[in-house]
Amino acid sequence: MRTPLAYILLLVGLLIVLSGIGWALFQLMGIYGAALNDPLAQPAGAEADVSRRMLLGVAVGTSGIIPFLVGLQLLRRAHRRARSTQP
């Protein structure tokens, strides 16, 4: 009964973490792409704005750690329980 819930929590947590990492890396690629295409057209506060958006992506990613760890712990307990009942 707890095993499907553990897999769901693990998957949801992993998706949230990966989306946060992807969001932050997308922002980083955007600033480097803009700097390579036209370095003189960058506005004055572009780096600070990208930094804020990257930190937002990191914050989103860290919120997925909790369900990921809870799902991992539930799977470990289910695995231990299954091993202990085997003869």
Side-chain angles (χ1 to χ4, degrees):
M1 177 75 178
R2 290 186 181 178
T3 306
L5 176 65
Y7 280 119
I8 290 171
L9 284 173
L10 192 71
L11 184 64
V12 166
L14 185 63
L15 288 175
I16 292 171
V17 168
L18 290 178
S19 67
I21 290 171
W23 188 350
L25 288 177
F26 182 74
Q27 299 301 320
L28 186 65
M29 289 185 333
I31 192 76
Y32 278 120
L36 287 174
N37 289 335
D38 195 6
L40 296 178
Q42 293 293 319
E47 292 87 5
D49 189 38
V50 168
S51 173
R52 250 182 265 117
R53 289 190 307 236
M54 283 178 67
L55 286 176
L56 182 64
V58 169
V60 166
T62 56
S63 68
I65 292 174
I66 294 172
F68 179 79
L69 291 177
V70 169
L72 190 65
Q73 193 65 20
L74 286 174
L75 278 177
R76 284 182 182 166
R77 286 184 184 175
H79 184 67
R80 273 191 231 134
R81 195 177 313 121
R83 268 195 316 184
S84 68
T85 59
Q86 290 178 351

